[in-house]
Amino acid sequence: MDKTGAIVRVGIAYVLAFGAGGAWLAWGPRTSSLLLDGLMADLIATLVVFGASRMYRNSSFYDAYWSVLPPLLMVAWWVEIGSGGDRTRAWLVLGVIVFWSIRLTGNWLYAFPGLHHEDWRYAMIRERAGRAAVPADLFGIHVVPTLQVFAGMLPVYAVLTNTGRAVGGLDIVAFVIGVGAVLLAFCADLQMYRFVARRRPGQAMDRGLWSWSRHPNYFGEFAFWCALGLFGLAAAPQDWWWVLLGAIGMYAMFQGASIPMMEQRSLARRPEYQGVIDRVPRFVPRPPRRRNTLAGSESEHAA
């Protein structure tokens, strides 16, 4: 199956998934909370995508769900809540989310080779789970990321349900951080693609943004969710204790799972990567250590 055919199948799965989630919101039993209704619809859509993943034996069916769902969820909430009050902040949030969604989904469209390929981490998760491979696939690869993204959308719900505060300085900061985060991740991915096209076997990336952070794309993604959290704080400062849960969860995921897995793989495949670890910051971008300074420190230590 070629790439176009694979993307069409993924697209059909998403249409069915979002159709099922939308049907739940429109005609399914309601709870006492629109937030909980949105979560139920999100999980139903996730189960449809999981069914497609199992049908094609490829959990990368889920990859673009991460970036396609947030703008749709925000619009669904907005329609249900209505357009009363000052919605300037909501339009700013929607603009940042759509910008982020286009960038990340476009990156997936560019990099996705077809259904003959599956993210190596998914196979690792199922292999480690042994006989529990199917539950690990359902929860570890599909449901848990859905819950993480939903948590990241909590401040968006706060923005839509709290319209009494006018747009202020914190909103401007959040907007700038959100747009900057998307541009940072875009530039990092572009630099990596260009490097991969020309690198020699075993060479490790340590150029451009990747000389300031070993994972600038992850940092950009984290900064985007922080921006949503700041929008939530601007709309409902009294809810500070839950509007930042999504950003905290994203940070924990990157630091506790995504980055360790990527670095273990890079160390196994690229002998030069240990030198990158010694020089380049792990996550938050900052100037790298100079090679000569590092070499001098090692010499002093050896002496």
Side-chain angles (χ1 to χ4, degrees):
M1 183 187 304
D2 62 7
K3 178 174 179 176
T4 301
I7 291 175
V8 168
R9 284 166 172 76
V10 173
I12 292 173
Y14 284 13
V15 169
L16 295 175
F18 294 129
W24 174 271
L25 285 177
W27 301 295
R30 294 301 183 93
T31 69
S32 59
S33 168
L34 180 58
L35 186 65
L36 184 56
D37 291 335
L39 176 58
M40 293 299 297
D42 194 0
L43 290 172
I44 288 170
T46 300
L47 289 176
V48 174
V49 176
F50 172 70
S53 295
R54 297 303 299 172
M55 180 184 300
Y56 285 91
R57 299 182 182 278
N58 189 328
S59 293
S60 282
F61 254 85
Y62 182 83
D63 288 351
Y65 188 85
W66 179 285
S67 59
V68 174
L69 182 278
L72 297 179
L73 181 59
M74 179 175 181
V75 170
W77 276 338
W78 200 337
V79 169
E80 291 290 327
I81 293 170
S83 57
D86 183 2
R87 292 297 177 176
T88 304
R89 179 179 293 111
W91 281 112
L92 290 175
V93 173
L94 183 60
V96 171
I97 290 178
V98 169
F99 186 38
W100 165 84
S101 178
I102 291 173
R103 199 290 302 179
L104 193 53
T105 307
N107 183 65
W108 173 80
L109 286 170
Y110 176 79
F112 181 58
L115 290 177
H116 61 278
H117 169 82
E118 183 184 44
D119 191 307
W120 58 271
R121 290 168 291 190
Y122 301 159
M124 179 186 298
I125 289 172
R126 292 194 299 268
E127 182 179 351
R128 289 177 176 176
R131 294 183 178 180
V134 174
D137 192 351
L138 172 59
F139 292 100
I141 300 174
H142 293 78
V143 172
V144 170
T146 288
L147 295 176
Q148 287 179 309
V149 171
F150 191 85
M153 291 292 289
L154 291 177
V156 176
Y157 185 80
V159 167
L160 292 173
T161 54
N162 293 270
T163 58
R165 290 180 174 271
V167 170
L170 186 56
D171 296 287
I172 303 304
V173 171
F175 183 80
V176 171
I177 291 176
V179 172
V182 175
L183 293 175
L184 173 66
F186 172 78
C187 291
D189 286 337
L190 182 61
Q191 289 175 0
M192 178 58 78
Y193 289 138
R194 290 176 175 174
F195 169 77
V196 169
R198 300 189 298 265
R199 70 183 175 188
R200 65 178 184 273
Q203 185 179 8
M205 174 56 149
D206 61 350
R207 306 172 183 178
L209 293 170
W210 299 81
S211 69
W212 284 57
S213 169
R214 302 202 296 274
H215 305 277
N217 53 341
Y218 286 164
F219 180 78
E221 179 74 7
F222 168 67
F224 163 75
W225 296 105
C226 285
L228 296 190
L230 292 178
F231 276 121
L233 281 178
Q238 73 278 4
D239 294 330
W240 61 268
W241 60 275
W242 62 268
V243 295
L244 295 176
L245 288 178
I248 294 171
M250 293 294 174
Y251 181 82
M253 179 191 69
F254 288 136
Q255 294 287 8
S258 299
I259 289 177
M261 292 176 71
M262 293 297 294
E263 300 219 317
Q264 289 174 10
R265 181 177 171 87
S266 293
L267 284 169
R269 293 159 58 95
R270 301 176 184 88
E272 296 181 2
Y273 193 68
Q274 183 58 56
V276 176
I277 291 177
D278 294 338
R279 296 191 310 275
V280 179
R282 173 185 172 101
F283 189 60
V284 179
R286 61 175 175 77
R289 299 176 65 183
R290 296 180 180 179
R291 293 175 185 266
N292 55 353
T293 301
L294 181 63
S297 298
E298 292 175 345
S299 298
E300 292 174 5
H301 180 72

